[in-house]
Amino acid sequence: MTSNNTHKDWWKQAVVYQIYPRSFKDSDGDGLGDIAGITSRMGYLRDLGVDAIWLSPFYPSELADGGYDVIDYRDVDPRLGTMDDFDAMVAAAHSQGLKVVVDIVPNHTSDRHPWFQEALGAAPGSAQRERYIFREGRGCDGEIPPNDWLSMFGGSAWQRVDDGQWYLHLFARQQPDLNWKNPDVHEDFIRTLRFWSDHGTDGFRVDVAHGLAKDLSSRSLEELGRWPSQAQPTADGDHPLWDRPEVHDIYREWRRVFDEYDPPRFAIAEAWVAPEHQHLYASEKELGQVFNFEFAKANWCPQELRTAIVKGLDCAREAGSTTTWVMSNHDVPRHASRYALPQVRTRGYHQIANDWLLRNGESYIEDRDRGTRRARAAIMLEAGLPGSVYVYQGEELGLFEVADLPWDRLEDPQSRNSRGPFCVKGRDGCRVPLPWRADDEPRPAAWNPKFGEGASFGFSPQERAGSPACEPHLPQPLWFRHFAVDREDNDPTSMLQLYRKALSLRQTLLTATRDTGLTLLTTESFDDRSTIAYSRMTTRKDRRFVSITNFGSEPVPLPHGTVVLASADPLGDSIPQDTTVWMLTDV
Ligand code: GLC
């Protein structure tokens, strides 16, 4: 076990690796990643130097939203394995010293969930319907939705059922929103938290954590529908849908469950709220930590990244916790691609994610050398910071977004619901199955020679019960061969090797001190228009850790000290553009 994981509050300074299970590793040849596939790669994860794995949903699902439409919260999707496979995976993780975090999706269920099926079969006003948010429509026959709210995936947020009522779904039509005023909902999620904790899970990632408490009764629905920005929380706590103060009662209730265990379970909130509200979710009386997405939203620009760092540290201080650093996840375009585009300030990734430039794959212009160079500098900038680092599967290989996936192979509801000039391809481009072996190379596909068929770079075994394995659920581009794990394993200059070195140094020099202090450095050489430099204490009392990232075109002189890692070679006596250097200097 790494020394970090021997501490009760291991999650405060962890490196957590996010697995999107359907695309990580397929063990049985059906073209879908699975739980046994994860178990088979536990050694890879240990060698990478992460402290924990977080699994995006692996529960039974119709896959209307990549598994975030859950049919049964306390089981494994049969296509991904069994509960025995899950237990074996947890045991394998623990035996390698790794913790396991699972995803909890409390804002909505799948429309195939038994509760929703019961609600459909029950009458308006029944107890079964009360677990969801059903309302009458407007117009003479109730044929107009209760108000004009839109789903986050496009179209109305209301869907009509056979008897004429409408139900609310802030995401896909197949994801009806739960009514958190209903005690059944509270009880059921408490059962779910205990269920996974009893199966050895160490923590939870809470999906759409800021959306559970809704106020649909204080004003007419029509009036609520006129809310200035339906999609964005307001900072005053008065938004009918997001970041309402009552949501914190739910997490205080959950904290009591987490504290039944030794060590207490932890949770991290996915909460898209104003930065000044983030700390509420991360309080030790509630979930413990919150995703700080400011880092992921920032362009490759020192002013934006420094602001993200300062805000993250401020939030951690207020919460009495630590912050988190995220560059990529299953919802956003891969950062190697984002950084390969012209960096235009003020375009947060929200805009970029929905930007036809990046995700329609036709007018996609990326400078991959530059993207790689910046992604190398970025992981070192990030991994030297105090708090937890979240690494999304494939970023350690330097993967780019697969922007040109064919429309007819897309799975994400964002793509299905978008039409017209601003149509978007959605989030599948960062969810393509990982390349494990360069020699298991597919041939150019008949339908598009840029993609492969017939093999899967080692994602699936070659055979399934005596027949060739199925194609991966999303097609892999042929350029994936350059990023295969075995190839990067044998290349001392690869992204994979850089991640391994950086995470190992982070653990031995920084995390092991348990200190979370950081000093931002601004000197004549490290001016804040073109550099981000900071220092921290290390396990060596006489030496300080210094990280310097140069964004500018002018080289920055290397300060006095010993270079322990650099994101680019050769270094000489100065730090070139788009490079991070880690040094040990005298105290
Ligand atoms: C979260 C998930 C995203 C999902 C949405 C609805 O934002 O990260 O993938 O689509 O919730 O569950």
Side-chain angles (χ1 to χ4, degrees):
M1 184 175 281
T2 63
S3 60
N4 182 51
N5 277 354
T6 55
H7 295 272
K8 266 192 166 181
D9 57 359
W10 59 272
W11 47 270
K12 285 193 171 171
Q13 291 256 49
V15 179
V16 183
Y17 184 91
Q18 182 191 354
I19 293 182
Y20 187 73
R22 290 173 177 80
S23 298
F24 183 70
K25 175 77 183 102
D26 169 22
S27 72
D28 59 7
D30 66 356
L32 268 187
D34 47 42
I35 302 288
I38 300 171
T39 310
S40 72
R41 290 298 181 270
M42 217 53 89
Y44 170 77
L45 296 164
R46 178 207 52 216
D47 294 347
L48 182 57
V50 302
D51 299 291
I53 52 176
W54 147 36
L55 273 57
S56 282
F58 49 83
Y59 315 113
S61 168
E62 283 284 286
L63 300 184
D65 178 20
Y68 283 89
D69 46 319
V70 179
I71 297 177
D72 182 347
Y73 288 85
R74 296 184 286 273
D75 204 353
V76 174
D77 188 322
R79 288 166 292 188
L80 271 59
T82 61
M83 277 308 298
D84 285 345
D85 293 333
F86 181 85
D87 291 339
M89 189 271 300
V90 171
H94 287 168
S95 75
Q96 302 283 0
L98 303 178
K99 304 281 188 183
V100 179
V101 176
V102 300
D103 219 308
I104 294 291
V105 189
N107 183 64
H108 42 261
T109 68
S110 158
D111 61 349
R112 301 267 133 210
H113 189 286
W115 275 5
F116 194 71
Q117 291 298 311
E118 283 172 28
L120 289 181
S126 59
Q128 290 84 344
R129 288 216 173 166
E130 266 306 293
R131 294 176 181 140
Y132 293 90
I133 301 175
F134 279 87
R135 293 290 184 273
E136 300 300 332
R138 295 172 294 167
C140 302
D141 295 317
E143 74 284 10
I144 306 173
N147 68 14
D148 58 4
W149 280 337
L150 296 175
S151 142
M152 303 293 275
F153 295 148
S156 171
W158 297 96
Q159 177 70 25
R160 202 168 194 198
V161 300
D162 287 348
D163 58 34
Q165 276 206 315
W166 299 76
Y167 68 86
L168 181 71
H169 61 90
L170 291 177
F171 293 88
R173 174 173 55 77
Q174 298 89 341
Q175 293 169 297
D177 280 48
L178 283 163
N179 171 17
W180 273 89
K181 292 193 173 142
N182 187 308
D184 289 358
V185 176
H186 285 252
E187 272 162 37
D188 201 67
F189 274 89
I190 285 178
R191 260 185 81 192
T192 298
L193 296 175
R194 289 204 180 108
F195 178 87
W196 292 110
S197 300
D198 293 341
H199 277 275
T201 294
D202 303 282
F204 301 94
R205 178 259 188 196
V206 183
D207 190 63
V208 197
H210 58 308
L212 278 46
K214 299 183 179 74
D215 178 15
L216 271 56
S217 52
S218 60
R219 273 157 282 195
S220 75
L221 272 179
E222 219 168 323
E223 198 184 331
L224 289 174
R226 289 198 295 270
W227 212 261
S229 167
Q230 184 220 314
Q232 294 296 324
T234 46
D236 58 8
D238 198 28
H239 196 289
L241 300 174
W242 308 114
D243 194 27
R244 297 194 57 78
E246 313 89 84
V247 80
H248 298 289
D249 297 340
I250 301 170
Y251 302 131
R252 281 191 279 270
E253 181 175 71
W254 289 14
R255 169 53 55 191
R256 290 195 286 279
V257 179
F258 301 150
D259 288 348
E260 288 166 9
Y261 293 86
D262 183 24
R265 300 319 191 222
F266 103 102
I268 175 158
E270 185 214 25
W272 296 91
V273 299
E276 57 272 29
H277 278 197
Q278 285 181 2
H279 70 96
L280 299 171
Y281 296 80
S283 132
E284 62 184 26
K285 296 192 173 63
E286 298 191 18
L287 297 175
Q289 229 173 19
V290 62
F291 278 119
N292 163 23
F293 289 121
E294 302 307 301
F295 213 69
K297 285 191 227 163
N299 288 294
W300 184 247
C301 155
Q303 289 85 347
E304 291 182 27
L305 284 162
R306 187 179 302 97
T307 306
I309 293 172
V310 170
K311 279 190 191 168
L313 296 175
D314 285 352
C315 161
R317 211 168 297 118
E318 272 189 86
S321 182
T322 55
T323 190
T324 58
W325 311 105
V326 187
M327 294 192 286
S328 283
N329 65 28
H330 65 295
D331 288 333
V332 303
R334 286 193 176 276
H335 65 265
S337 286
R338 299 202 312 267
Y339 297 158
L341 297 177
Q343 300 294 296
V344 183
R345 280 196 71 184
T346 76
R347 281 171 26 137
Y349 82 60
H350 258 319
Q351 279 153 287
I352 293 177
N354 292 322
D355 192 329
W356 54 274
L357 259 180
L358 185 56
R359 280 199 158 167
N360 81 351
E362 279 153 27
S363 46
Y364 185 56
I365 319 144
E366 63 181 350
D367 177 342
R368 289 199 164 177
D369 288 344
R370 180 169 274 190
T372 299
R373 190 177 176 100
R374 289 176 172 166
R376 291 174 67 90
I379 184 60
M380 288 180 58
L381 168 68
E382 183 187 60
L385 295 169
S388 295
V389 170
Y390 278 72
V391 171
Y392 175 55
Q393 68 177 39
E395 75 167 70
E396 79 280 16
L397 304 174
L399 283 183
F400 292 93
E401 183 80 3
V402 185
D404 50 358
L405 284 168
W407 282 96
D408 60 357
R409 296 293 299 268
L410 297 176
E411 297 170 355
D412 187 2
Q414 268 185 358
S415 68
R416 282 197 292 278
N417 293 346
S418 89
R419 292 282 176 271
F422 298 110
C423 55
V424 290
K425 282 202 151 173
R427 301 163 294 179
D428 291 319
C430 65
R431 300 176 178 182
V432 175
L434 291 190
W436 291 94
R437 280 183 23 225
D439 69 356
D440 183 38
E441 188 172 348
R443 55 177 184 271
W447 46 270
N448 180 339
K450 288 189 199 158
F451 288 88
E453 64 184 5
S456 61
F457 294 116
F459 169 67
S460 298
Q462 283 176 338
E463 291 201 341
R464 182 187 201 202
S467 312
C470 303
E471 297 290 327
H473 68 107
L474 285 168
Q476 297 164 303
L478 291 178
W479 55 259
F480 261 34
R481 81 167 72 84
H482 305 298
F483 299 85
V485 170
D486 63 345
R487 183 168 285 189
E488 295 208 18
D489 206 17
N490 288 319
D491 174 2
T493 67
S494 68
M495 188 73 86
L496 179 60
Q497 298 290 12
L498 179 74
Y499 267 66
R500 286 179 181 158
K501 284 180 211 147
L503 298 185
S504 157
L505 284 168
R506 170 187 158 92
Q507 167 59 33
T508 51
L509 286 175
L510 302 171
T511 309
T513 63
R514 315 296 301 151
D515 181 74
T516 55
L518 173 133
T519 310
L520 278 170
L521 306 173
T522 310
T523 65
E524 212 176 303
S525 320
F526 312 145
D527 80 85
D528 57 14
R529 276 174 294 109
S530 51
T531 62
I532 295 183
Y534 56 83
S535 77
R536 293 183 62 191
M537 67 175 269
T538 70
T539 38
R540 297 183 47 188
K541 297 282 169 274
D542 55 336
R543 309 288 265 166
R544 248 186 113 69
F545 171 87
V546 176
S547 170
I548 308 151
T549 304
N550 181 17
F551 298 76
S553 51
E554 287 299 309
V556 170
L558 266 181
H560 191 68
T562 316
V563 173
V564 289
L565 191 63
S567 66
D569 284 330
L571 216 48
D573 55 5
S574 62
I575 308 169
Q577 185 167 23
D578 293 338
T579 303
T580 300
V581 172
W582 282 359
M583 305 190 69
L584 287 178
T585 61
D586 290 341
V587 170

